[in-house]
């Protein structure tokens, strides 16, 4: 058995010496880390430090940007994402993503949004049942069950974001990437999303990018601090916030810069 | 610092100037409408919509064949022009970054500036000469050529307006790029594109010059695409340049009819644009 196959048991996501570029900008520099199954990894760091680029490498969205390039390895379930026979389209069904700004499809109803991934990918099944399940998972069902066929845009910002989470969950991903999912939301909506993340951890592996350090402390098992494209420190969340090894981490989490 | 009174005065003057501009802009519009309605309304009868043109000196007669012909020719034009124009627009917006895209964009720009009579000559050379006859098809081709550039550019603009976040959302759900373009991007822009299509059709319906030596004219009913075909615009032209008062009156009525047709299409376009983001219940 080789090294790669052995990772299957311990870690859901393995990143080895990942480098990423936008044109000539070197956005990620030799990042290596692992995310165990059913845990939440929070990525913190100042703007432009490569947090978003990092998560976008895990579902191969990074390569869609013109001029983007990357080296190194990202493995999900021990499978190299850039290995032969890996279709990015299939991969993205296993690794879901939620964006900073809620982006429901404006031409679709709440129901249609929830099952959009199933319909667009031609996945059959009982759509009504699947829609209810994913909307319940996203803690949105009770608020929308009486108006499933209203426009998705009739929802509030926080509800729209939970709808986007439901949409991502409906296709049954194993990993959920969240790129600052609550940064455009008010505190109550944020609290709901955070509660949701803690619940979803039972079924999924989650990587969440956040600007909000309290949020990272509240929802994550492990935290990674990025700075200028480098992974400065990665460890248990409690350790990062109470006893960081690196002075730069300490400066950042105590608010000296960033 | 200016006094409050003088600022208020400037405000009044500027508002007044804007109002004056509005009135000036409305004068030609209203007078055209008024003239066409007042001269044309009397001639509108049931016969006018359904009957064939009557010979000179004979009372009655209508432009039924010209109404049908206009719809027929514009239908052919839409059938050819809409897929090409919208397709080119989607290509430009989604893939048109490179040299090929620039070439298409430049061509569309040049083409949209070509006078319509020249497009008519092109259609004459392309369709009429090889077929050795004037035909509805030739007229349709000419109008299609006129529709394509504007449709392509407006489709491109509308598709570009679709937020990139929606494209990303779809791709992140594991939807292939082509299906994302079709089912999400195009679908989101569809309301606007339909509006653009209707406006292009309305414009095409009002063209005379490209039809003069393509569809020509016909005094009888015609259902065949390879026969000369009457159209409202050419009929108006023929009636208007004739020396007979009766035909002049008919030209006014036909003009009113054409105005109503184009107006109805524009109105539909407006309504569609308004309902763009409303989800069906």
């Amino acid at each position: 058995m080789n090294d790669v196959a052995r990772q299957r048991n311990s870690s859901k996501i393995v990143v080895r010496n990942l480098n990423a570029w936008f044109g000539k900008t070197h956005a990620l520099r030799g990042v290596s880390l692992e995310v165990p199954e059913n845990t939440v990894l929070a990525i913190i760091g100042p703007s432009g430090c490569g947090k978003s680029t990092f998560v976008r490498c895990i579902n191969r969205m990074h390569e869609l940007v013109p001029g983007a390039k990357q080296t190194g390895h990202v493995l999900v379930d021990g499978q190299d994402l850039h290995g032969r026979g890996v279709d990015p389209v299939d991969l993205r069904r296993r690794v879901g993503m939620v964006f900073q700004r809620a982006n429901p499809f404006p031409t679709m109803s709440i129901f249609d949004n929830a099952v959009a991934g199933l319909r667009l990918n031609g996945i059959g099944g009982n759509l009504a049942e699947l829609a209810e399940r994913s909307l319940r998972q996203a803690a949105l069902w009770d608020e929308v069950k009486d108006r499933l066929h209203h426009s998705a845009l009739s929802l509030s910002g926080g509800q729209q974001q939970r709808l986007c989470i439901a949409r991502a969950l409906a296709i049954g991903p194993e990993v959920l990437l969240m790129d600052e999912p609550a940064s455009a939301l008010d505190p109550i909506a944020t609290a709901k999303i955070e509660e949701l993340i803690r619940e979803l951890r039972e079924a999924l592996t989650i990587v969440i990018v956040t600007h909000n350090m309290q949020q990272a402390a509240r929802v994550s098992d492990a935290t990674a601090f990025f700075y200028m494209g480098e992974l400065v420190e990665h460890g248990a969340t409690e350790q990062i916030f109470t006893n960081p090894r690196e002075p730069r981490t300490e400066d950042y989490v105590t608010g000296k810069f960033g | 610092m200016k006094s409050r009174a003088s600022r208020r005065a400037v405000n009044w003057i500027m508002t007044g100037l804007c109002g004056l501009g509005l009135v000036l802009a409305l004068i030609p519009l209203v007078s055209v409408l008024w003239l066409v309605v007042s001269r044309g309304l009397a001639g509108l009868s049931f016969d006018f919509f359904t009957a064939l043109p009557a010979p000179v000196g004979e009372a009655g007669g209508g432009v039924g064949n010209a109404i049908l012909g206009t719809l027929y020719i514009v239908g052919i034009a839409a059938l050819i022009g809409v897929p090409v124009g919208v397709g080119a627009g989607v290509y430009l917006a989604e893939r048109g970054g490179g040299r090929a895209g620039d070439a298409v964009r430049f061509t569309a720009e040049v083409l949209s500036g070509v006078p319509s009579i020249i497009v008519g000559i092109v259609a004459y050379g392309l369709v009429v000469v090889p077929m050795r006859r004037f035909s509805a098809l030739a007229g349709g081709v000419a109008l299609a050529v006129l529709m394509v550039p504007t449709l392509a550019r407006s489709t491109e603009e509308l598709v570009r307006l679709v937020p990139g976040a929606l494209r990303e959302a779809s791709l992140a759900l594991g939807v292939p790029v082509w299906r994302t373009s079709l089912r999400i991007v195009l679908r989101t822009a569809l309301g606007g594109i339909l509006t653009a299509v209707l406006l292009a059709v309305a414009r095409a319906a009002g063209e005379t010059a490209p039809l003069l030596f393509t569809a020509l004219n016909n005094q009888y009913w015609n259902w065949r695409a390879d026969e000369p075909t009457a159209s409202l615009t050419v009929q108006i032209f023929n009636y208007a340049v004739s020396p007979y008062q009766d035909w002049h009156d008919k030209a006014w009525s036909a003009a009113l009819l054409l105005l109503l047709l184009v107006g109805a299409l524009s109105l539909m376009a407006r309504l569609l644009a308004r309902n763009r983001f409303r989800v069906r219940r």
Side-chain angles (χ1 to χ4, degrees):
Chain A
M1 255 199 167
N2 61 21
D3 199 33
V4 168
R6 233 177 289 128
Q7 293 297 344
R8 186 179 292 263
N9 299 323
S10 53
S11 291
K12 187 75 179 175
I13 305 167
V14 177
V15 178
R16 294 238 180 82
N17 195 25
L18 179 64
N19 285 276
W21 289 265
F22 292 103
K24 289 204 167 73
T25 315
H26 198 169
L28 283 178
R29 298 163 186 268
V31 173
S32 299
L33 58 74
E34 298 187 6
V35 189
E37 194 157 5
N38 296 106
T39 63
V40 178
L41 170 70
I43 315 254
I44 60 170
S47 295
C49 69
K51 305 186 295 288
S52 293
T53 310
F54 177 76
V55 291
R56 293 169 68 94
C57 285
I58 303 176
N59 67 348
R60 290 183 62 176
M61 291 285 280
H62 173 65
E63 68 196 39
L64 294 172
V65 180
K69 198 172 67 167
Q70 75 181 73
T71 63
H73 297 279
V74 180
L75 293 82
V76 173
D77 277 339
Q79 183 187 35
D80 193 323
L81 300 192
H82 285 87
R84 245 178 299 156
V86 176
D87 181 0
V89 167
D90 285 333
L91 169 74
R92 291 183 200 124
R93 293 178 197 171
R94 290 197 289 136
V95 181
M97 188 161 189
V98 176
F99 297 85
Q100 180 172 3
R101 286 188 163 271
N103 51 5
F105 299 127
T107 57
M108 296 185 192
S109 66
I110 294 167
F111 178 87
D112 290 340
N113 261 283
V115 297
L118 301 167
R119 278 215 182 114
L120 291 168
N121 289 320
I123 302 169
N126 186 341
L127 291 182
E129 204 172 276
L130 289 164
E132 178 174 346
R133 201 188 62 195
S134 53
L135 286 168
R136 276 189 194 283
Q137 259 186 306
L140 188 61
W141 175 253
D142 290 329
E143 291 160 60
V144 301
K145 64 183 175 201
D146 297 322
R147 48 174 177 148
L148 286 173
H149 297 285
H150 283 60
S151 165
L153 298 183
S154 66
L155 299 175
S156 73
Q159 289 173 325
Q160 287 188 16
Q161 188 62 296
R162 276 179 285 149
L163 179 60
C164 292
I165 294 174
R167 181 176 66 185
L169 293 175
I171 49 174
E174 301 151 30
V175 175
L176 191 61
L177 308 172
M178 306 179 100
D179 191 354
E180 300 186 38
S183 67
L185 303 180
D186 66 67
I188 294 168
T190 302
K192 281 193 174 150
I193 302 269
E194 287 180 9
E195 198 184 318
L196 187 57
I197 292 169
R198 284 191 290 269
E199 281 166 19
L200 289 174
R201 193 182 66 162
E202 304 300 318
L204 295 162
T205 306
I206 296 174
V207 179
I208 175 172
V209 171
T210 178
H211 265 296
N212 180 331
M213 276 174 280
Q214 287 78 28
Q215 183 171 68
R218 283 191 297 263
V219 301
S220 68
D221 302 291
T223 298
F225 171 58
F226 280 59
Y227 185 63
M228 307 275 281
E230 278 175 52
L231 174 61
V232 175
E233 190 168 354
H234 170 219
T237 297
E238 205 186 323
Q239 176 251 313
I240 294 281
F241 283 99
T242 58
N243 188 23
R245 282 187 297 270
E246 289 280 332
R248 278 181 295 178
T249 313
E250 183 165 3
D251 287 349
Y252 184 71
V253 298
T254 54
K256 286 202 182 122
F257 79 100
Chain B
M1 189 126 170
K2 279 185 182 173
S3 73
R4 177 179 282 227
S6 80
R7 274 195 284 172
R8 197 174 285 172
V10 169
N11 182 30
W12 273 108
I13 292 168
M14 283 314 188
T15 312
L17 283 175
C18 290
L20 190 69
L22 177 72
V23 171
L24 283 177
L26 279 177
I27 285 173
L29 191 69
V30 171
S31 56
V32 165
L33 270 176
W34 171 247
L35 201 63
V36 172
V37 171
S38 63
R39 299 260 194 118
L41 200 59
L44 289 186
S45 62
F46 183 72
D47 255 12
F48 191 76
F49 286 92
T50 56
L52 286 174
V56 182
E58 205 172 290
V63 293
N65 62 333
I67 298 172
L68 179 76
T70 286
L71 296 177
Y72 194 33
I73 294 169
V74 171
I76 292 174
L79 228 52
I80 303 169
V82 171
V84 175
V86 171
V90 172
Y91 169 81
L92 285 178
E94 295 277 284
R95 293 287 163 91
R99 212 163 267 235
D102 286 341
V104 174
R105 220 168 275 127
F106 179 72
T107 313
E109 225 143 72
V110 172
L111 207 57
S112 65
V114 172
S116 58
I117 191 145
I118 292 174
V119 173
I121 296 173
V122 171
Y124 179 85
L126 280 178
V127 187
V128 177
V129 171
M131 284 176 74
R132 299 184 159 276
R133 65 204 311 173
F134 296 104
S135 63
L137 181 67
V141 168
L143 294 186
V145 172
L146 280 172
M147 285 163 79
V148 166
T150 44
L151 261 183
R153 290 314 302 268
S154 45
T155 302
E156 182 191 359
E157 297 295 321
L158 288 159
V159 170
R160 275 186 198 283
L161 279 180
V162 176
L166 294 182
R167 190 174 287 126
E168 285 205 321
S170 174
L171 292 172
L173 287 170
V175 181
V177 175
W178 67 270
R179 209 180 290 160
T180 298
S181 291
L182 211 64
R183 298 273 302 267
I184 299 300
V185 178
L186 198 57
R187 174 68 191 81
T188 306
L190 195 63
I193 292 173
L194 276 179
T195 307
V197 165
L198 282 181
L199 287 176
V201 166
R203 272 191 52 194
E207 285 286 351
T208 318
L211 296 180
L212 284 173
F213 27 77
T214 51
L216 199 66
N217 201 354
N218 193 331
Q219 296 305 307
Y220 302 99
W221 297 103
N222 171 41
W223 292 99
R224 294 183 51 163
D226 61 347
E227 291 282 340
T229 305
S231 61
L232 274 174
T233 46
V234 174
Q235 195 74 349
I236 292 167
F237 177 75
N238 285 342
Y239 278 160
V241 298
S242 77
Y244 315 111
Q245 184 55 44
D246 175 44
W247 278 16
H248 289 175
D249 293 341
K250 285 209 169 74
W252 283 111
S253 297
L256 176 59
L257 206 59
L258 187 66
L259 212 62
L260 290 175
L261 183 75
V262 172
L265 281 172
S266 302
L267 196 70
M268 260 165 71
R270 283 276 177 124
L271 288 175
L272 267 175
R274 192 180 299 167
N275 291 337
R276 254 169 91 172
F277 287 119
R278 204 168 291 165
V279 172
R280 248 177 297 134
R281 290 219 52 181

PDB file of all heavy atoms in Angstrom, chain B residues 125-151:
ATOM      1  N   GLY B 125     -28.909  39.578 -54.680  1.00  0.00           N
ATOM      2  CA  GLY B 125     -27.824  38.815 -55.284  1.00  0.00           C
ATOM      3  C   GLY B 125     -27.765  37.386 -54.754  1.00  0.00           C
ATOM      4  O   GLY B 125     -27.487  36.451 -55.490  1.00  0.00           O
ATOM      5  N   LEU B 126     -28.036  37.230 -53.469  1.00  0.00           N
ATOM      6  CA  LEU B 126     -27.884  35.911 -52.840  1.00  0.00           C
ATOM      7  C   LEU B 126     -29.046  34.976 -53.139  1.00  0.00           C
ATOM      8  O   LEU B 126     -28.863  33.773 -53.279  1.00  0.00           O
ATOM      9  CB  LEU B 126     -27.761  36.074 -51.320  1.00  0.00           C
ATOM     10  CG  LEU B 126     -26.406  36.478 -50.769  1.00  0.00           C
ATOM     11  CD1 LEU B 126     -26.489  36.638 -49.262  1.00  0.00           C
ATOM     12  CD2 LEU B 126     -25.349  35.443 -51.138  1.00  0.00           C
ATOM     13  N   VAL B 127     -30.257  35.528 -53.175  1.00  0.00           N
ATOM     14  CA  VAL B 127     -31.436  34.662 -53.262  1.00  0.00           C
ATOM     15  C   VAL B 127     -32.205  34.866 -54.566  1.00  0.00           C
ATOM     16  O   VAL B 127     -32.533  33.899 -55.249  1.00  0.00           O
ATOM     17  CB  VAL B 127     -32.377  34.900 -52.055  1.00  0.00           C
ATOM     18  CG1 VAL B 127     -33.508  33.881 -52.063  1.00  0.00           C
ATOM     19  CG2 VAL B 127     -31.594  34.832 -50.753  1.00  0.00           C
ATOM     20  N   VAL B 128     -32.466  36.116 -54.900  1.00  0.00           N
ATOM     21  CA  VAL B 128     -33.342  36.370 -56.057  1.00  0.00           C
ATOM     22  C   VAL B 128     -32.677  35.927 -57.355  1.00  0.00           C
ATOM     23  O   VAL B 128     -33.286  35.224 -58.170  1.00  0.00           O
ATOM     24  CB  VAL B 128     -33.723  37.871 -56.131  1.00  0.00           C
ATOM     25  CG1 VAL B 128     -34.557  38.141 -57.372  1.00  0.00           C
ATOM     26  CG2 VAL B 128     -34.489  38.270 -54.886  1.00  0.00           C
ATOM     27  N   VAL B 129     -31.415  36.295 -57.550  1.00  0.00           N
ATOM     28  CA  VAL B 129     -30.745  35.963 -58.809  1.00  0.00           C
ATOM     29  C   VAL B 129     -30.606  34.450 -58.995  1.00  0.00           C
ATOM     30  O   VAL B 129     -31.018  33.923 -60.042  1.00  0.00           O
ATOM     31  CB  VAL B 129     -29.379  36.689 -58.909  1.00  0.00           C
ATOM     32  CG1 VAL B 129     -28.595  36.175 -60.109  1.00  0.00           C
ATOM     33  CG2 VAL B 129     -29.590  38.191 -59.011  1.00  0.00           C
ATOM     34  N   PRO B 130     -30.086  33.703 -58.010  1.00  0.00           N
ATOM     35  CA  PRO B 130     -29.988  32.251 -58.210  1.00  0.00           C
ATOM     36  C   PRO B 130     -31.346  31.582 -58.415  1.00  0.00           C
ATOM     37  O   PRO B 130     -31.470  30.649 -59.195  1.00  0.00           O
ATOM     38  CB  PRO B 130     -29.330  31.740 -56.920  1.00  0.00           C
ATOM     39  CG  PRO B 130     -28.734  32.926 -56.279  1.00  0.00           C
ATOM     40  CD  PRO B 130     -29.486  34.109 -56.725  1.00  0.00           C
ATOM     41  N   MET B 131     -32.381  32.078 -57.690  1.00  0.00           N
ATOM     42  CA  MET B 131     -33.698  31.447 -57.829  1.00  0.00           C
ATOM     43  C   MET B 131     -34.443  31.957 -59.048  1.00  0.00           C
ATOM     44  O   MET B 131     -35.491  31.421 -59.420  1.00  0.00           O
ATOM     45  CB  MET B 131     -34.546  31.724 -56.578  1.00  0.00           C
ATOM     46  CG  MET B 131     -34.157  30.882 -55.364  1.00  0.00           C
ATOM     47  SD  MET B 131     -35.114  31.345 -53.908  1.00  0.00           S
ATOM     48  CE  MET B 131     -36.701  30.641 -54.318  1.00  0.00           C
ATOM     49  N   ARG B 132     -33.941  33.020 -59.629  1.00  0.00           N
ATOM     50  CA  ARG B 132     -34.545  33.643 -60.817  1.00  0.00           C
ATOM     51  C   ARG B 132     -35.967  34.121 -60.560  1.00  0.00           C
ATOM     52  O   ARG B 132     -36.805  34.111 -61.460  1.00  0.00           O
ATOM     53  CB  ARG B 132     -34.510  32.676 -61.996  1.00  0.00           C
ATOM     54  CG  ARG B 132     -33.101  32.307 -62.363  1.00  0.00           C
ATOM     55  CD  ARG B 132     -33.035  31.438 -63.585  1.00  0.00           C
ATOM     56  NE  ARG B 132     -31.691  31.535 -64.156  1.00  0.00           N
ATOM     57  CZ  ARG B 132     -31.315  32.505 -64.971  1.00  0.00           C
ATOM     58  NH1 ARG B 132     -32.148  33.446 -65.333  1.00  0.00           N
ATOM     59  NH2 ARG B 132     -30.064  32.525 -65.428  1.00  0.00           N
ATOM     60  N   ARG B 133     -36.276  34.480 -59.305  1.00  0.00           N
ATOM     61  CA  ARG B 133     -37.595  35.049 -59.039  1.00  0.00           C
ATOM     62  C   ARG B 133     -37.582  35.792 -57.702  1.00  0.00           C
ATOM     63  O   ARG B 133     -36.798  35.483 -56.815  1.00  0.00           O
ATOM     64  CB  ARG B 133     -38.644  33.950 -59.008  1.00  0.00           C
ATOM     65  CG  ARG B 133     -38.441  32.977 -57.862  1.00  0.00           C
ATOM     66  CD  ARG B 133     -39.055  31.650 -58.124  1.00  0.00           C
ATOM     67  NE  ARG B 133     -40.432  31.805 -58.571  1.00  0.00           N
ATOM     68  CZ  ARG B 133     -41.189  30.805 -59.002  1.00  0.00           C
ATOM     69  NH1 ARG B 133     -40.687  29.597 -59.037  1.00  0.00           N
ATOM     70  NH2 ARG B 133     -42.421  31.004 -59.375  1.00  0.00           N
ATOM     71  N   PHE B 134     -38.470  36.784 -57.639  1.00  0.00           N
ATOM     72  CA  PHE B 134     -38.665  37.456 -56.362  1.00  0.00           C
ATOM     73  C   PHE B 134     -39.459  36.532 -55.462  1.00  0.00           C
ATOM     74  O   PHE B 134     -40.288  35.757 -55.948  1.00  0.00           O
ATOM     75  CB  PHE B 134     -39.437  38.761 -56.571  1.00  0.00           C
ATOM     76  CG  PHE B 134     -38.684  39.744 -57.410  1.00  0.00           C
ATOM     77  CD1 PHE B 134     -39.028  39.961 -58.738  1.00  0.00           C
ATOM     78  CD2 PHE B 134     -37.625  40.442 -56.869  1.00  0.00           C
ATOM     79  CE1 PHE B 134     -38.323  40.863 -59.514  1.00  0.00           C
ATOM     80  CE2 PHE B 134     -36.922  41.351 -57.640  1.00  0.00           C
ATOM     81  CZ  PHE B 134     -37.268  41.561 -58.966  1.00  0.00           C
ATOM     82  N   SER B 135     -39.177  36.581 -54.151  1.00  0.00           N
ATOM     83  CA  SER B 135     -39.880  35.621 -53.288  1.00  0.00           C
ATOM     84  C   SER B 135     -39.951  36.109 -51.843  1.00  0.00           C
ATOM     85  O   SER B 135     -39.169  36.962 -51.418  1.00  0.00           O
ATOM     86  CB  SER B 135     -39.158  34.274 -53.316  1.00  0.00           C
ATOM     87  OG  SER B 135     -37.870  34.431 -52.778  1.00  0.00           O
ATOM     88  N   ALA B 136     -40.885  35.540 -51.087  1.00  0.00           N
ATOM     89  CA  ALA B 136     -40.998  35.817 -49.660  1.00  0.00           C
ATOM     90  C   ALA B 136     -39.703  35.413 -48.959  1.00  0.00           C
ATOM     91  O   ALA B 136     -39.246  36.074 -48.027  1.00  0.00           O
ATOM     92  CB  ALA B 136     -42.169  35.055 -49.058  1.00  0.00           C
ATOM     93  N   LEU B 137     -39.109  34.322 -49.440  1.00  0.00           N
ATOM     94  CA  LEU B 137     -37.864  33.850 -48.847  1.00  0.00           C
ATOM     95  C   LEU B 137     -36.774  34.917 -48.957  1.00  0.00           C
ATOM     96  O   LEU B 137     -36.074  35.215 -47.978  1.00  0.00           O
ATOM     97  CB  LEU B 137     -37.409  32.564 -49.538  1.00  0.00           C
ATOM     98  CG  LEU B 137     -36.134  31.945 -48.990  1.00  0.00           C
ATOM     99  CD1 LEU B 137     -36.353  31.442 -47.583  1.00  0.00           C
ATOM    100  CD2 LEU B 137     -35.646  30.814 -49.895  1.00  0.00           C
ATOM    101  N   ALA B 138     -36.653  35.524 -50.157  1.00  0.00           N
ATOM    102  CA  ALA B 138     -35.638  36.557 -50.357  1.00  0.00           C
ATOM    103  C   ALA B 138     -35.881  37.730 -49.404  1.00  0.00           C
ATOM    104  O   ALA B 138     -34.944  38.247 -48.774  1.00  0.00           O
ATOM    105  CB  ALA B 138     -35.645  37.035 -51.798  1.00  0.00           C
ATOM    106  N   GLY B 139     -37.171  38.113 -49.267  1.00  0.00           N
ATOM    107  CA  GLY B 139     -37.495  39.191 -48.336  1.00  0.00           C
ATOM    108  C   GLY B 139     -37.138  38.813 -46.914  1.00  0.00           C
ATOM    109  O   GLY B 139     -36.577  39.616 -46.155  1.00  0.00           O
ATOM    110  N   GLY B 140     -37.438  37.574 -46.547  1.00  0.00           N
ATOM    111  CA  GLY B 140     -37.129  37.095 -45.200  1.00  0.00           C
ATOM    112  C   GLY B 140     -35.632  37.107 -44.938  1.00  0.00           C
ATOM    113  O   GLY B 140     -35.188  37.518 -43.863  1.00  0.00           O
ATOM    114  N   VAL B 141     -34.853  36.686 -45.940  1.00  0.00           N
ATOM    115  CA  VAL B 141     -33.395  36.686 -45.780  1.00  0.00           C
ATOM    116  C   VAL B 141     -32.890  38.113 -45.567  1.00  0.00           C
ATOM    117  O   VAL B 141     -32.077  38.375 -44.672  1.00  0.00           O
ATOM    118  CB  VAL B 141     -32.708  36.034 -47.003  1.00  0.00           C
ATOM    119  CG1 VAL B 141     -31.217  36.296 -46.977  1.00  0.00           C
ATOM    120  CG2 VAL B 141     -32.982  34.542 -47.020  1.00  0.00           C
ATOM    121  N   ALA B 142     -33.415  39.041 -46.356  1.00  0.00           N
ATOM    122  CA  ALA B 142     -32.973  40.432 -46.225  1.00  0.00           C
ATOM    123  C   ALA B 142     -33.266  40.959 -44.821  1.00  0.00           C
ATOM    124  O   ALA B 142     -32.396  41.550 -44.167  1.00  0.00           O
ATOM    125  CB  ALA B 142     -33.678  41.294 -47.277  1.00  0.00           C
ATOM    126  N   LEU B 143     -34.486  40.715 -44.336  1.00  0.00           N
ATOM    127  CA  LEU B 143     -34.840  41.208 -42.999  1.00  0.00           C
ATOM    128  C   LEU B 143     -34.027  40.488 -41.921  1.00  0.00           C
ATOM    129  O   LEU B 143     -33.645  41.089 -40.908  1.00  0.00           O
ATOM    130  CB  LEU B 143     -36.338  41.026 -42.738  1.00  0.00           C
ATOM    131  CG  LEU B 143     -37.271  41.866 -43.626  1.00  0.00           C
ATOM    132  CD1 LEU B 143     -38.714  41.710 -43.173  1.00  0.00           C
ATOM    133  CD2 LEU B 143     -36.875  43.331 -43.610  1.00  0.00           C
ATOM    134  N   ALA B 144     -33.741  39.196 -42.145  1.00  0.00           N
ATOM    135  CA  ALA B 144     -32.943  38.445 -41.172  1.00  0.00           C
ATOM    136  C   ALA B 144     -31.551  39.057 -41.043  1.00  0.00           C
ATOM    137  O   ALA B 144     -31.025  39.220 -39.940  1.00  0.00           O
ATOM    138  CB  ALA B 144     -32.849  36.978 -41.579  1.00  0.00           C
ATOM    139  N   VAL B 145     -30.960  39.413 -42.201  1.00  0.00           N
ATOM    140  CA  VAL B 145     -29.624  40.025 -42.175  1.00  0.00           C
ATOM    141  C   VAL B 145     -29.661  41.322 -41.370  1.00  0.00           C
ATOM    142  O   VAL B 145     -28.724  41.652 -40.640  1.00  0.00           O
ATOM    143  CB  VAL B 145     -29.111  40.278 -43.611  1.00  0.00           C
ATOM    144  CG1 VAL B 145     -27.819  41.079 -43.585  1.00  0.00           C
ATOM    145  CG2 VAL B 145     -28.905  38.949 -44.321  1.00  0.00           C
ATOM    146  N   LEU B 146     -30.782  42.035 -41.475  1.00  0.00           N
ATOM    147  CA  LEU B 146     -30.909  43.278 -40.706  1.00  0.00           C
ATOM    148  C   LEU B 146     -31.044  43.009 -39.209  1.00  0.00           C
ATOM    149  O   LEU B 146     -30.596  43.793 -38.372  1.00  0.00           O
ATOM    150  CB  LEU B 146     -32.133  44.061 -41.173  1.00  0.00           C
ATOM    151  CG  LEU B 146     -31.959  44.873 -42.451  1.00  0.00           C
ATOM    152  CD1 LEU B 146     -33.295  45.429 -42.873  1.00  0.00           C
ATOM    153  CD2 LEU B 146     -30.959  45.994 -42.219  1.00  0.00           C
ATOM    154  N   MET B 147     -31.686  41.883 -38.868  1.00  0.00           N
ATOM    155  CA  MET B 147     -31.938  41.592 -37.456  1.00  0.00           C
ATOM    156  C   MET B 147     -30.696  41.089 -36.736  1.00  0.00           C
ATOM    157  O   MET B 147     -30.495  41.365 -35.550  1.00  0.00           O
ATOM    158  CB  MET B 147     -33.034  40.517 -37.329  1.00  0.00           C
ATOM    159  CG  MET B 147     -34.431  41.014 -37.612  1.00  0.00           C
ATOM    160  SD  MET B 147     -35.550  39.627 -37.912  1.00  0.00           S
ATOM    161  CE  MET B 147     -35.832  39.120 -36.244  1.00  0.00           C
ATOM    162  N   VAL B 148     -29.879  40.315 -37.453  1.00  0.00           N
ATOM    163  CA  VAL B 148     -28.783  39.600 -36.790  1.00  0.00           C
ATOM    164  C   VAL B 148     -27.828  40.500 -35.987  1.00  0.00           C
ATOM    165  O   VAL B 148     -27.598  40.230 -34.805  1.00  0.00           O
ATOM    166  CB  VAL B 148     -28.010  38.719 -37.805  1.00  0.00           C
ATOM    167  CG1 VAL B 148     -26.686  38.257 -37.232  1.00  0.00           C
ATOM    168  CG2 VAL B 148     -28.865  37.525 -38.185  1.00  0.00           C
ATOM    169  N   PRO B 149     -27.276  41.574 -36.573  1.00  0.00           N
ATOM    170  CA  PRO B 149     -26.274  42.329 -35.804  1.00  0.00           C
ATOM    171  C   PRO B 149     -26.812  42.943 -34.515  1.00  0.00           C
ATOM    172  O   PRO B 149     -26.179  42.829 -33.463  1.00  0.00           O
ATOM    173  CB  PRO B 149     -25.797  43.403 -36.779  1.00  0.00           C
ATOM    174  CG  PRO B 149     -26.749  43.410 -37.893  1.00  0.00           C
ATOM    175  CD  PRO B 149     -27.409  42.098 -37.945  1.00  0.00           C
ATOM    176  N   THR B 150     -28.006  43.544 -34.593  1.00  0.00           N
ATOM    177  CA  THR B 150     -28.531  44.162 -33.371  1.00  0.00           C
ATOM    178  C   THR B 150     -28.870  43.106 -32.332  1.00  0.00           C
ATOM    179  O   THR B 150     -28.607  43.280 -31.144  1.00  0.00           O
ATOM    180  CB  THR B 150     -29.799  44.991 -33.664  1.00  0.00           C
ATOM    181  OG1 THR B 150     -30.637  44.245 -34.534  1.00  0.00           O
ATOM    182  CG2 THR B 150     -29.466  46.309 -34.304  1.00  0.00           C
ATOM    183  N   LEU B 151     -29.430  41.985 -32.823  1.00  0.00           N
ATOM    184  CA  LEU B 151     -29.762  40.909 -31.887  1.00  0.00           C
ATOM    185  C   LEU B 151     -28.508  40.362 -31.213  1.00  0.00           C
ATOM    186  O   LEU B 151     -28.487  40.121 -30.003  1.00  0.00           O
ATOM    187  CB  LEU B 151     -30.457  39.770 -32.629  1.00  0.00           C
ATOM    188  CG  LEU B 151     -31.968  39.723 -32.552  1.00  0.00           C
ATOM    189  CD1 LEU B 151     -32.474  38.496 -33.265  1.00  0.00           C
ATOM    190  CD2 LEU B 151     -32.416  39.726 -31.099  1.00  0.00           C
TER     191      LEU B 151
END
